[in-house]
Each structure stands twice: as structure tokens, then as C-alpha cells.
Amino acid sequence: MAKVLIVDDNELFRRMNAEFLKLDGHDILLARDGRETLNIVQSEQPDILLLDIMMPGIDGYEVCRQIKGDPLTKETLVVMLTSIAGSERFRSYQAGADEHITKPIPSRELRELVRRLAPRKNTNHQP
């Protein structure tokens, strides 16, 4: 199973998706903003980051750039989440995101996404 960090300034979104992912046995971490996210990524080294784009303070794009630009965290899989359609997808990939998903995300799709991504992270770190 994966260690998943869910980042969103909406507490209901964080908690609801945490409960869905716990059903599959994932270790769940929660953050509400960019600064908290960067601290948790450094200290806990999650496998997968479900990262909201629009947050107070440091937005998701900048968080993603910092994570992907750091040799210690660049292998963290980043899934950008947004409720805004359009150029957000392109900007997510420019920032270094591995995936981009439009909210709301049906729980089954979220669980399948994390299940699919978890092995990718684990194989990236093999010697």
C-alpha cells in the first residue's frame, strides 16, 4: 500500500477522500496548504501527493515545482486536482505533475488511480 498525502484547503474533501483511501489500506496524511505540504513531504516522504491547485499562500503549481525540483522528493508522484477546466491541465504538467484530475472525483476512480500509481512509485526506488 502507499503513503498518500491529500492536500486541499477544503476539510470535507480531505477527510472524505482519506476515508475512501483507507478502505484500501493506504497510510493517509493530510495538509491544508502549500507550506504545510512542503513540510510534510520533507518529513514523511509520501509516495503519492493528491494536490489541490487553488490554495491560500503557495499554490499547487509552486508546491509541485518545489517537490519535483528537490532531489530528495522528485520521485514523489504528484496528482494535481482542480475544479477548474481548461488550461489548468497544461500548467499542471508544466509544473511537473504526473497526473491531472478534475474535481469532483468519484471515490471509485480515486481509489483506482491511487492503486494504479502506487506500484509506479515503488519501482522508481529500486537499486
Side-chain angles (χ1 to χ4, degrees):
M1 295 303 119
K3 185 185 292 189
V4 181
L5 174 55
I6 301 172
V7 182
D8 201 294
D9 54 337
N10 181 315
E11 183 177 356
L12 179 60
F13 179 85
R14 287 192 314 266
R15 292 187 183 280
M16 183 176 64
N17 286 298
E19 292 304 315
F20 290 131
L21 293 175
K22 284 179 186 176
L23 294 172
D24 293 326
H26 299 293
D27 183 14
I28 305 300
L29 304 165
L30 302 174
R32 64 185 158 264
D33 62 40
R35 179 63 48 212
E36 185 179 19
T37 300
L38 292 170
N39 291 336
I40 292 172
V41 168
Q42 286 294 323
S43 65
E44 298 291 330
Q45 304 206 345
D47 300 307
I48 300 169
L49 179 58
L50 301 176
L51 179 61
D52 187 28
I53 292 174
M54 304 303 289
M55 296 182 294
I58 304 171
D59 68 18
Y61 299 121
E62 182 58 28
V63 170
C64 185
R65 280 191 285 275
Q66 288 187 36
I67 289 168
K68 292 300 189 171
D70 184 335
L72 297 175
T73 59
K74 70 180 183 179
E75 296 299 322
T76 304
L77 294 173
V78 178
V79 178
M80 301 293 273
L81 307 172
T82 186
S83 55
I84 303 169
S87 65
E88 303 300 317
R89 180 176 302 276
F90 179 71
R91 289 184 64 199
S92 293
Y93 292 122
Q94 275 188 318
D98 298 283
E99 297 276 346
H100 175 97
I101 304 292
T102 302
K103 297 190 290 187
I105 308 160
S107 62
R108 188 186 75 209
E109 285 181 32
L110 180 65
R111 291 172 69 191
E112 288 173 8
L113 173 70
V114 171
R115 224 178 278 134
R116 180 174 53 84
L117 291 177
R120 282 179 42 190
K121 169 64 178 183
N122 295 334
T123 59
N124 286 341
H125 286 302
Q126 303 221 349

